[in-house]
């Protein structure tokens, strides 16, 4: 099996800088409790230059760098961040396996869809870069080979052909074995994996037993470690515990950005789009506030979700500071994305979606609707109310929205379009008719309106199989003081009725 390993150098540090951009270039460490003492688990570049090393006590680290800032190290936070990265990479491979705390394996079986294994590596690095992470990647047939080359190799991208792993591993330092596995070989004065592979297999087994044989086989490019894909969660949820309770929206905004960046990446990797998201704000010392965000059109765009969340949350009045924030996708759908034509501006659609989503969230889901066509022949029943969605496509150079439907009359008819406002039931008109049957005037709401122009007729009929068939002649009539209207004459009783008005 071919697998790619992505190694993120000092991943906890990268994650912390993404969550708190003001830490970029500054000395800070992540600390954890160890034997009653707080020790450094990860250190930034500036802290390393000052002499701070993992395992150093916080007191000693502060003595080396007085301006050192420190934050708690939570392994579960690193694991969740890695899971989010793995799900974002699902668009390149069918599965991933965690290698906490700073890497993961990706199934490279679908590399041909990305232009080969080199293309897979390039796309994986590009995607990680978009999410703010720097990584090294190696592709090999064995789990150990790909991990060792990504962590200790000199190239940022390494693709090892089938059967060439031993040669690629040979120059790597003995530290690539990690843990206590390297100690027996280091005692022999060996310094590279190639030197370990050159030892006689029998002698290694005699001195190192089963563990020695396994290490020797790995250095020779043999590893039967199975690939165990991560089980995906059914409900997408991200959570962030703030370092200090937030009394204003500004520190909360960075937490929301982190959550929605991860949610957006996970949704995109699954080819899903959010329809409804619930934000939960836990307050300090007690209490919580829930905010539901309903989207006018499903999306996985983190920037759009953040903009919508900001408008909803920054207006809240809370009794206590916010200590923790979480975001859960309550409902999602297939992400069909959007095909743009030349000249289309996605920013315009994004702005429209912000307005629509704010209306839906503030006034309720049923407050936003549009007319939809019904499978009914009778004109007053041919339109119904449906949920509003922006047009999915445009006609490009034709200049018209594909979502705008203009009904055309048959050849020879005098009508060109349907009215924008249809009455639920036709209204009888108190009409003045000439001897020839021509409409001269009509009373609407008690006022007489003279007819200045008439176009038509267009004959419509149907539902002869039902108890109430219809047979009508439709006209576009321009009334003085009222404007253009859609009027028909019922052939059953000869009377005129108002069907709709044109804008």
């Amino acid at each position: 099996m071919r697998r790619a390993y992505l190694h993120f150098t000092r991943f906890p540090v990268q994650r912390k800088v993404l969550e708190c951009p003001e830490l970029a270039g500054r000395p800070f460490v992540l600390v954890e409790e160890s034997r009653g003492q707080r020790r450094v688990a990860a250190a930034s570049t500036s802290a390393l230059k000052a002499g701070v090393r993992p395992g150093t006590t916080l007191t000693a680290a502060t003595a080396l760098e007085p301006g050192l800032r420190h934050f708690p190290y939570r392994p579960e936070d690193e694991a969740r961040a890695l899971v989010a990265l793995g799900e974002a990479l699902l668009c390149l491979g069918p599965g991933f396996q965690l290698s906490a705390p700073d890497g993961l394996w990706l199934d490279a079986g679908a590399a041909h869809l990305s232009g080969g294994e080199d293309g897979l590596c390039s796309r994986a690095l590009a995607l990680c870069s978009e999410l703010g992470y720097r990584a090294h990647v190696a592709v090999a047939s064995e789990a150990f080979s790909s991990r060792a080359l990504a962590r200790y190799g000199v190239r940022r991208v390494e693709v090892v052909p089938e059967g060439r792993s031993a040669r690629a591993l040979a120059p790597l330092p003995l530290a690539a074995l990690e843990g206590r596995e390297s100690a027996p070989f280091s005692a022999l004065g060996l310094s590279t994996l190639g030197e370990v592979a050159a030892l006689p297999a029998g002698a290694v087994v005699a001195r190192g037993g089963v563990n020695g044989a396994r290490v020797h086989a790995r250095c020779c490019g043999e590893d039967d470690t199975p690939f165990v894909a991560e089980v995906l969660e059914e409900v997408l949820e991200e959570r962030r515990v703030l370092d200090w309770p937030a009394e204003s929206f500004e520190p909360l905004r960075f937490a929301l950005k982190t959550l929605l960046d991860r949610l957006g990446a996970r949704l995109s990797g699954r080819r899903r789009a959010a329809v409804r998201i619930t934000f939960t704000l836990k307050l300090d010392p007690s209490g919580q506030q829930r905010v539901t965000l309903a989207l006018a059109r499903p999306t996985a765009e983190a920037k759009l979700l953040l903009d919508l969340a900001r408008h909803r949350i920054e207006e809240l009045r809370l009794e206590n500071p916010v200590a923790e924030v979480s975001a859960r996708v309550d409902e999602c759908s297939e992400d069909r994305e959007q095909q743009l034509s030349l000249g289309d501006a996605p920013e315009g659609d994004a702005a429209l979606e912000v307005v629509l989503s704010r209306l839906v969230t503030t006034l309720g889901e049923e407050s936003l609707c549009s007319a939809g066509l019904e499978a009914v022949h009778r004109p007053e029943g041919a339109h119904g109310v449906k949920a509003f969605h922006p047009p999915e496509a445009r006609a490009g150079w034709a200049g018209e929205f594909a979502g705008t439907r203009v009904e055309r009359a048959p050849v020879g008819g005098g009508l060109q379009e349907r009215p924008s406002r249809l009455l639920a039931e036709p209204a009888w008109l108190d009409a003045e008719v000439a001897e020839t049957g021509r409409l001269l005037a009509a009373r609407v709401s008690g006022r007489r309106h003279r007819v200045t122009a008439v176009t038509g007729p267009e004959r419509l009929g149907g539902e002869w199989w039902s108890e109430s068939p219809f047979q009508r002649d439709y006209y576009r009539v321009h009334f003085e003081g009222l404007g253009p209207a859609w009027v028909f004459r019922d052939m059953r009783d000869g009377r005129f009725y108002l069907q709709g008005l044109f804008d």
Side-chain angles (χ1 to χ4, degrees):
M1 174 184 178
R2 301 289 287 177
R3 63 190 83 185
Y5 185 87
L6 285 98
H7 171 63
F8 304 91
T9 307
R10 287 181 287 128
F11 179 79
V13 173
Q14 293 193 50
R15 178 192 62 79
K16 193 62 183 178
V17 171
L18 278 178
E19 294 179 358
C20 304
E22 71 274 9
L23 294 177
R26 297 186 178 181
F28 71 92
V29 294
L30 301 176
V31 298
E32 60 180 345
E33 292 287 338
S34 177
R35 297 179 181 178
Q37 290 184 320
R38 291 190 293 176
R39 295 184 178 273
V40 175
S44 67
T45 301
S46 299
L48 291 174
K49 290 181 178 178
V52 179
R53 294 293 181 268
T56 306
T57 63
L58 180 59
T59 303
T62 306
L64 292 171
E65 176 55 65
L68 188 70
R69 297 181 63 181
H70 61 89
F71 305 91
Y73 173 78
R74 303 185 184 95
E76 61 274 14
D77 290 348
E78 315 307 329
R80 291 198 63 83
L82 277 177
V83 167
L85 267 174
E87 292 192 32
L89 292 167
L90 286 177
C91 59
L92 304 178
F96 66 94
Q97 178 182 353
L98 292 189
S99 177
D102 56 8
L104 58 86
W105 284 281
L106 178 68
D107 186 346
H112 60 283
L113 300 177
S114 301
E117 292 177 346
D118 288 303
L120 174 70
C121 294
S122 299
R123 291 187 61 185
L125 291 179
L127 194 150
C128 292
S129 179
E130 290 177 5
L131 297 175
Y133 293 98
R134 301 182 306 276
H136 291 72
V137 59
V139 179
S141 301
E142 305 83 23
F144 173 79
S145 300
S146 59
R147 187 172 190 268
L149 288 167
R151 290 176 60 87
Y152 296 94
V154 296
R155 299 179 182 177
R156 191 180 183 194
V157 176
E158 183 81 36
V159 177
V160 182
E162 187 78 30
R164 296 289 191 89
S165 296
R167 182 176 180 180
L169 292 171
L172 297 186
L174 204 60
L177 294 176
E178 301 182 356
R180 298 180 179 180
E181 294 179 339
S182 62
F185 302 99
S186 178
L188 296 175
L190 306 180
S191 60
T192 65
L193 300 188
E195 294 175 350
V196 175
L199 295 174
V204 173
V205 173
R207 298 192 59 175
V210 176
N211 291 335
R214 183 176 63 251
V215 172
H216 183 264
R218 289 178 175 178
C219 294
C220 294
E222 301 173 5
D223 184 14
D224 58 357
T225 303
F227 181 87
V228 181
E230 190 76 12
V231 178
L232 302 183
E233 297 178 349
E234 293 185 8
V235 179
L236 290 175
E237 183 174 7
E238 289 292 337
R239 189 181 310 274
R240 168 83 188 280
V241 178
L242 304 183
D243 296 320
W244 298 278
E247 298 182 352
S248 63
F249 180 76
E250 190 61 23
L252 190 60
R253 183 171 68 87
F254 290 110
L256 286 172
K257 183 179 185 305
T258 300
L259 298 184
L260 294 175
D261 281 346
R262 290 183 186 173
L263 275 183
R266 296 174 68 183
L267 286 166
S268 297
R270 297 186 183 197
R271 290 290 185 260
R272 307 293 291 175
V275 176
R276 183 191 304 274
I277 298 178
T278 297
F279 296 92
T280 302
L281 309 178
K282 288 190 176 181
L283 309 181
D284 183 44
S286 63
Q288 68 177 17
Q289 178 76 38
R290 281 193 173 92
V291 178
T292 299
L293 181 64
L295 303 174
R297 181 164 64 188
T299 184
E301 291 290 335
K303 184 178 179 182
L304 175 59
L305 294 175
L306 178 61
D307 195 8
L308 295 173
R310 178 176 62 84
H311 286 296
R312 288 285 291 135
I313 295 177
E314 69 180 354
E315 299 175 357
L316 295 177
R317 294 182 178 274
L318 304 176
E319 297 179 355
N320 297 315
V322 179
E324 180 182 330
V325 58
S326 64
R328 185 184 70 247
V329 179
D330 295 324
E331 184 181 351
C332 62
S333 65
E334 180 184 357
D335 187 5
R336 298 182 179 180
E337 299 182 341
Q338 183 179 6
Q339 181 65 48
L340 299 178
S341 302
L342 293 177
D344 282 349
E347 296 80 5
D349 279 352
L352 174 62
E353 290 185 28
V354 170
V355 174
L356 297 179
S357 295
R358 292 184 66 185
L359 286 173
V360 171
T361 304
T362 304
L363 303 179
E365 296 184 21
E366 298 180 357
S367 63
L368 201 63
C369 59
S370 62
L373 296 178
E374 302 289 342
V376 178
H377 292 276
R378 192 181 296 269
E380 59 267 26
H383 294 78
V385 176
K386 67 175 185 178
F388 175 81
H389 296 287
E392 295 293 337
R394 302 177 189 267
W397 292 337
E400 292 184 350
F401 287 103
T404 304
R405 186 176 188 271
V406 178
E407 298 185 12
R408 301 296 181 181
V411 177
L415 303 183
Q416 296 296 316
E417 60 183 352
R418 295 290 184 259
S420 56
R421 291 177 288 170
L422 281 175
L423 301 182
E425 293 291 338
W428 172 71
L429 286 176
D430 183 7
E432 299 178 15
V433 184
E435 294 182 359
T436 59
R438 182 175 178 272
L439 183 63
L440 299 178
R443 290 186 176 277
V444 180
S445 300
R447 297 184 58 183
R448 182 180 182 275
H449 297 273
R450 186 172 62 88
V451 174
T452 59
V454 177
T455 304
E458 177 188 358
R459 182 156 293 177
L460 296 179
E463 299 186 4
W464 49 265
W465 56 88
S466 67
E467 296 180 356
S468 57
F470 66 94
Q471 190 71 29
R472 304 168 178 175
D473 282 348
Y474 278 84
Y475 301 86
R476 176 168 178 157
V477 181
H478 196 287
F479 290 103
E480 186 179 54
L482 186 63
W486 205 32
V487 174
F488 71 85
R489 187 171 193 172
D490 196 323
M491 305 306 292
R492 295 179 303 171
D493 58 15
R495 304 174 75 176
F496 284 90
Y497 294 83
L498 177 64
Q499 181 76 77
L501 297 173
F502 295 90
D503 286 335

